Amino acid sequence: MKIQMLLILVAFSVLGYALLVPHVQCSCQQMINENDCNNRPNCEWNPISATNGYCQPKPCSSQNQPTCQKSENCYYQPGQSGQQFCFEMNNCNDIQLSTGQTCQQANANCVQSNLTKSQCISAGFSCSTLSSEQCQSGQTLTLAEEGLCYWNGQSCQVVTSCGVLQSLAQCQMLNNACYWTGQACVVQQCSNYNSSNTCTYAYQNPKGGSAIQPCQWIPNNSTITNGTCTTATVDQLSISNCATNTNNVYRWSSNSTTPGLGQCAECNSKKQIYRNQCECKQLYQPQECISSPNCQWVPATATSAAYCQQNQCLNITSQQTCAQIQGCYWNTSANPNACTPYTSCNAIVGSTSFACFYQSNFCPGSNGKTCLNQQSLQTCSEIKEANICYNSIGSDGFCTYSTSSKACQALTSCTGLTPRSQCNQFINTCIWNTKSNTCQQRQCSDFQTKESCTFVQNNLSVNVINICTWNPDTKQCYAYDNSFDYDINTCFNSTGRTHHWSEPSTASKGLCLPCHYSSVLNVKSSCQCSDLINYTDCALSSPKCFWNSTATTKCQQQTCAQLTSQGSCVMSKYCYWSMTNNQASCQSISSASTTCATLKANTQQECLSQSILCGGINNGTCSSTPNSCSDFSTFYQCFGSVGTDGICQWNQNESTCTGISYCNMITTEAQCSLVLNTCFWQASNSSCTAYNCSSLYAQTNNCNYYLNTPNQNYEVKICQLEGTECNPASNLSSLTSSNCYASSGGTAFWNPEKDNGTCSYCYSQLIGILFIVFIYMF
């Protein structure tokens, strides 16, 4: 489902030019069509051959004044006799001002220093920190990181709405978002444009993630010079106006001029799918269901209770929403285009990866005729053309082209994203550091306001939301660590739709819990902290252990008092999370059976959110003894639970809960993907399949271990890489001191005193412990 984009500042100019854009524009490298590229003032087409090439940023020395002034890394300087120059800059300090020139006239993100008038500095994040002179200089406005700044007569403020602008000059500077009526500045509309040249796009708000509204010119029958500017959908845009009528937030997805090859597609849509968001059937509260665009609330009847279900594909009219729902695709072969159900990517017609991705984000590849899922794709390094590389997803993740090595490679970190426009495409994962001029991993602390403090994605290749929370006392954004802080009204939306209220009826009985768990059952060995002799293994065992670098330089057990977050506390078998008098803390377990009996809960998830040892429920309290799936009599208790007989699944026809003990019993790709290290979805025959060493390597590019069944009788199966093949390992002898613990799933440790060093199981007698890992919880 789509997460609304945060504000990112990408364009500014002096009076008469396009200004603030509250969405992420396509970078030059994402412009596939040569015409789109050459229409961007700051981009140019680099022809590799007569039929091939790619779009790249234009050097500063080739840019004109308005383009230079709004560039990321250029500044403008007028010369004598009408000469104009555009120079490279790493930061605002590089600017050399001409006589009478202001810093904003050189680059809109720069202001003059209060200490040295001739020196330019960054405008920074907030408008409110700027003086009158820094806020508004001559006929230019200043662009801080939070938005466009204006002087209201007393202080410098960010433009939050058109209505705050009180003059014609200020209003006209936001001509695609605001319109001057003669008396007031109001929101711009397509109908206000009176010529085909100006009829391009409008924004509903100059700040915040407001949707762009494309416009289209409808000429009169008598003459094409007269007509009417009306609103348009993206589907109505063509190869000639796709980019211009969306201010380059969209681009044409093909370099071919052949009709039917290409669509008007948003550059940034692939960053909007997050696999730990809730499924419709997990939403028990009507307000949670209704606020999810992919879901539909079904009222109660005389024979059935009310429930939330996924909206039918044919009911969805938005291409973006449709493409982001697994099982639906935007059918471009239909007339008109329609959202259509599918069971396999091969059922979708698409001659290019761009055409396929536009129809379904879950089918980003093409074999030239039909679409492919990501697991069927080639790796980034196998892609040879730069233009395709910049806009592709490989089986190993997002791809980028290295101009130095002339090769396509998979992105592994934010530091590989240059220039700033590329970094901006991953807005919730990466952030551009204006001081070092590099792209860095985004942290919750990078958000400066309550409104922006939402979530981060801490890995480019793993689309998992990590929630942030605003502290009203310190006015800072922190990594979220306690779902109990949210009530029934804030649980769903305030966590990026990753958590839900656990009870369908009485709100006071429920808790705010994560929707997705990784069902890893029976970690059959629990190595002692003292067994782990190196820092890496000790760190992997967190939160149970920590490396004491100040005292013993050894791996030691964490005390419960040291575990200050809910996620780390409940993952320790020695601790439980306590909520007393609205104060949350991590307490020591006296004994599993005694502690579990004191915890109040109606579902297994509620119990496990307080202690990992409490996997059972018993008449409103928790238990250290897990239930069988058949013990659960309601859907909300069954779904998401793990019983002694496997992963629990609700049979709607018989109203019973049964245990899934083998991968092939799982019928949906969504549930199969959650059984990590055990099952994977086989796209060729649409089935959930158990791993072996060969398929593990093919699917994950890892050759370490897998669990042979998704039930409590599983075994840890060790694999070893022999050349290019991943084969079963008969014992632990293939593991070394650096991978013994990690590659055995935490069931073995490196023993330096045995046989000059060997990898050994932690216990000769393996111990079964119910262990459901909250990989998506915190």
Side-chain angles (χ1 to χ4, degrees):
M1 66 189 66
K2 182 174 179 180
I3 292 288
Q4 188 63 274
M5 288 292 170
L6 298 178
L7 174 67
I8 184 123
L9 308 169
V10 292
F12 175 84
S13 175
V14 292
L15 184 63
Y17 295 95
L19 295 170
L20 183 67
V21 180
H23 274 258
V24 180
Q25 286 184 310
C26 304
S27 65
C28 293
Q29 292 89 339
Q30 289 178 304
M31 290 298 185
I32 301 165
N33 184 274
E34 183 175 357
N35 182 63
D36 284 348
C37 178
N38 292 330
N39 283 337
R40 289 284 299 274
N42 61 332
C43 302
E44 65 180 7
W45 189 257
N46 183 357
I48 299 177
S49 65
T51 58
N52 187 25
Y54 65 93
C55 192
Q56 66 182 15
K58 183 181 291 186
C60 294
S61 58
S62 302
Q63 297 188 28
N64 59 25
Q65 177 184 353
T67 305
C68 182
Q69 287 173 311
K70 62 185 178 183
S71 174
E72 302 168 354
N73 59 340
C74 307
Y75 75 92
Y76 168 74
Q77 185 182 76
Q80 296 179 349
S81 303
Q83 292 178 313
Q84 299 180 1
F85 304 99
C86 188
F87 297 100
E88 299 276 348
M89 78 169 192
N90 290 319
N91 55 59
C92 295
N93 293 332
D94 294 340
I95 294 177
Q96 300 293 318
L97 294 174
S98 297
T99 303
Q101 185 186 21
T102 67
C103 295
Q104 290 96 328
Q105 290 171 339
N107 185 289
N109 297 279
C110 304
V111 298
Q112 71 177 30
S113 169
N114 286 323
L115 300 177
T116 306
K117 301 299 183 183
S118 60
Q119 182 181 8
C120 296
I121 60 174
S122 171
F125 175 82
S126 177
C127 295
S128 61
T129 61
L130 302 177
S131 65
S132 171
E133 191 172 17
Q134 291 173 324
C135 183
Q136 184 169 287
S137 178
Q139 290 190 341
T140 61
L141 295 179
T142 298
L143 189 63
E145 290 180 49
E146 70 167 337
L148 194 64
C149 305
Y150 80 104
W151 187 258
N152 67 5
Q154 297 179 329
S155 62
C156 189
Q157 300 294 323
V158 65
V159 178
T160 55
S161 66
C162 298
V164 301
L165 302 176
Q166 299 299 312
S167 69
L168 169 65
Q170 286 184 332
C171 189
Q172 286 182 332
M173 287 186 179
L174 288 165
N175 59 343
N176 284 104
C178 304
Y179 173 74
W180 185 255
T181 64
Q183 295 179 327
C185 191
V186 298
V187 174
Q188 182 66 276
Q189 298 180 19
C190 293
S191 58
N192 291 327
Y193 299 126
N194 54 20
S195 73
S196 58
N197 292 331
T198 58
C199 180
T200 52
Y201 62 90
Y203 279 111
Q204 302 305 302
N205 195 308
K207 182 180 185 292
S210 62
I212 192 169
Q213 174 57 64
C215 306
Q216 63 177 343
W217 183 254
I218 307 298
N220 292 337
N221 294 331
S222 58
T223 172
I224 60 173
T225 58
N226 295 319
T228 304
C229 187
T230 64
T231 59
T233 64
V234 175
D235 296 336
Q236 293 174 299
L237 302 181
S238 65
I239 189 173
S240 62
N241 63 3
C242 170
T244 56
N245 285 32
T246 61
N247 198 27
N248 301 300
V249 173
Y250 290 71
R251 50 88 167 98
W252 197 252
S253 66
S254 171
N255 199 30
S256 172
T257 57
T258 303
L261 290 181
Q263 297 86 25
C264 191
E266 187 176 9
C267 288
N268 209 38
S269 60
K270 60 178 172 289
K271 265 70 73 179
Q272 298 167 1
I273 300 173
Y274 298 98
R275 73 183 191 197
N276 60 324
Q277 289 185 324
C278 299
E279 299 174 51
C280 298
K281 58 186 174 182
Q282 293 175 289
L283 306 179
Y284 310 137
Q285 295 295 324
Q287 67 268 27
E288 292 181 345
C289 181
I290 294 170
S291 64
S292 180
N294 304 340
C295 303
Q296 180 183 28
W297 184 254
V298 180
T301 66
T303 57
S304 64
Y307 63 95
C308 187
Q309 68 176 12
Q310 182 170 309
N311 207 345
Q312 298 296 309
C313 299
L314 295 176
N315 293 336
I316 299 171
T317 59
S318 164
Q319 176 269 327
Q320 291 183 35
T321 301
C322 178
Q324 294 177 71
I325 299 176
Q326 200 159 15
C328 299
Y329 78 101
W330 190 250
N331 188 349
T332 57
S333 300
N335 188 18
N337 295 348
C339 193
T340 308
Y342 75 95
T343 55
S344 170
C345 291
N346 291 329
I348 304 174
V349 176
S351 58
T352 67
S353 60
F354 314 118
C356 289
F357 187 82
Y358 174 83
Q359 295 178 87
S360 171
N361 294 175
F362 295 92
C363 302
S366 171
N367 59 13
K369 295 181 179 180
T370 59
C371 300
L372 303 171
N373 63 15
Q374 186 172 357
Q375 288 71 35
S376 304
L377 301 180
Q378 58 188 340
T379 63
C380 293
S381 61
E382 293 174 312
I383 300 173
K384 304 305 179 185
E385 297 182 20
N387 197 20
I388 296 177
C389 173
Y390 273 125
N391 294 276
S392 288
I393 301 175
S395 59
D396 47 351
F398 297 113
C399 304
T400 188
Y401 189 77
S402 171
T403 54
S404 58
S405 63
K406 305 296 182 184
C408 188
Q409 58 193 26
L411 279 170
T412 57
S413 68
C414 295
T415 55
L417 290 163
T418 57
R420 185 173 183 171
S421 57
Q422 283 283 337
C423 184
N424 288 344
Q425 298 302 314
F426 296 83
I427 184 172
N428 282 98
T429 310
C430 309
I431 185 172
W432 188 261
N433 187 321
T434 54
K435 294 182 179 179
S436 63
N437 237 32
T438 57
C439 190
Q440 297 179 354
Q441 177 67 49
R442 182 181 284 277
Q443 308 292 334
C444 288
S445 56
D446 292 320
F447 295 123
Q448 302 294 313
T449 65
K450 180 180 179 180
E451 291 72 25
S452 64
C453 180
T454 52
F455 67 91
V456 296
Q457 177 190 337
N458 61 4
N459 187 295
L460 285 172
S461 299
V462 181
N463 284 359
V464 172
I465 288 179
N466 292 272
I467 310 302
C468 304
T469 185
W470 183 256
N471 187 316
D473 298 323
T474 62
K475 298 193 183 319
Q476 290 181 312
C477 187
Y478 294 97
Y480 146 88
D481 64 1
N482 178 16
S483 65
F484 289 4
D485 283 344
Y486 294 102
D487 60 23
I488 190 172
N489 298 313
T490 59
C491 176
F492 184 59
N493 288 317
S494 295
T495 62
R497 299 172 181 167
T498 62
H499 287 58
H500 71 131
W501 197 252
S502 63
E503 295 287 332
S505 54
T506 308
S508 60
K509 291 184 178 180
L511 296 172
C512 186
L513 298 179
C515 284
H516 286 301
Y517 302 84
S518 168
S519 301
V520 181
L521 309 183
N522 262 17
V523 172
K524 294 189 176 181
S525 175
S526 182
C527 297
Q528 297 295 324
C529 298
S530 58
D531 291 332
L532 308 179
I533 63 171
N534 64 62
Y535 171 82
T536 302
D537 290 350
C538 187
L540 288 173
S541 71
S542 176
K544 179 178 66 177
C545 309
F546 78 105
W547 189 261
N548 192 335
S549 58
T550 58
T552 62
T553 61
K554 292 182 179 179
C555 192
Q556 295 181 201
Q557 181 181 313
Q558 291 266 29
T559 65
C560 297
Q562 290 174 300
L563 304 176
T564 57
S565 73
Q566 181 187 358
S568 61
C569 178
V570 301
M571 287 289 290
S572 172
K573 69 175 184 177
Y574 308 108
C575 310
Y576 73 100
W577 191 249
S578 173
M579 197 74 174
T580 306
N581 297 326
N582 293 325
Q583 293 295 318
S585 62
C586 192
Q587 302 291 326
S588 298
I589 285 179
S590 55
S591 71
S593 58
T594 302
T595 298
C596 291
T598 64
L599 304 179
K600 306 294 184 183
N602 289 311
T603 67
Q604 184 186 72
Q605 294 94 326
E606 291 174 340
C607 289
L608 292 170
S609 67
Q610 298 171 79
S611 170
I612 199 67
L613 293 186
C614 303
I617 56 174
N618 183 20
N619 295 323
T621 61
C622 301
S623 171
S624 58
T625 303
N627 304 82
S628 67
C629 293
S630 59
D631 292 337
F632 302 130
S633 59
T634 62
F635 169 79
Y636 83 97
Q637 289 180 321
C638 176
F639 187 83
S641 295
V642 180
T644 54
D645 47 347
I647 301 168
C648 298
Q649 179 172 272
W650 184 253
N651 187 318
Q652 185 67 39
N653 294 328
E654 300 179 5
S655 295
T656 57
C657 188
T658 57
I660 296 174
S661 53
Y662 297 98
C663 295
N664 60 13
M665 297 175 68
I666 299 174
T667 58
T668 66
E669 183 175 357
Q671 190 169 29
C672 184
S673 66
L674 294 176
V675 192
L676 302 181
N677 294 101
T678 308
C679 310
F680 72 97
W681 188 255
Q682 187 76 267
S684 59
N685 57 9
S686 298
S687 65
C688 191
T689 307
Y691 276 124
N692 56 33
C693 289
S694 177
S695 59
L696 176 73
Y697 191 53
Q699 293 291 321
T700 68
N701 204 33
N702 290 319
C703 182
N704 43 30
Y705 74 96
Y706 66 92
L707 314 179
N708 68 332
T709 57
N711 59 52
Q712 302 226 21
N713 297 316
Y714 85 87
E715 296 178 9
V716 176
K717 296 292 187 178
I718 309 295
C719 304
Q720 61 181 355
L721 193 62
E722 297 174 340
T724 59
E725 294 185 355
C726 185
N727 298 319
S730 57
N731 52 52
L732 300 177
S733 61
S734 62
L735 303 182
T736 66
S737 60
S738 62
N739 68 1
C740 173
Y741 183 76
S743 294
S744 67
T747 63
F749 74 106
W750 184 256
N751 188 345
E753 299 177 355
K754 182 180 180 181
D755 300 330
N756 295 320
T758 185
C759 187
S760 304
Y761 284 112
C762 293
Y763 300 106
S764 57
Q765 179 70 36
L766 298 184
I767 301 173
I769 301 174
L770 179 67
F771 197 86
I772 301 178
V773 182
F774 294 9
I775 62 165
Y776 299 142
M777 188 170 182
F778 303 97

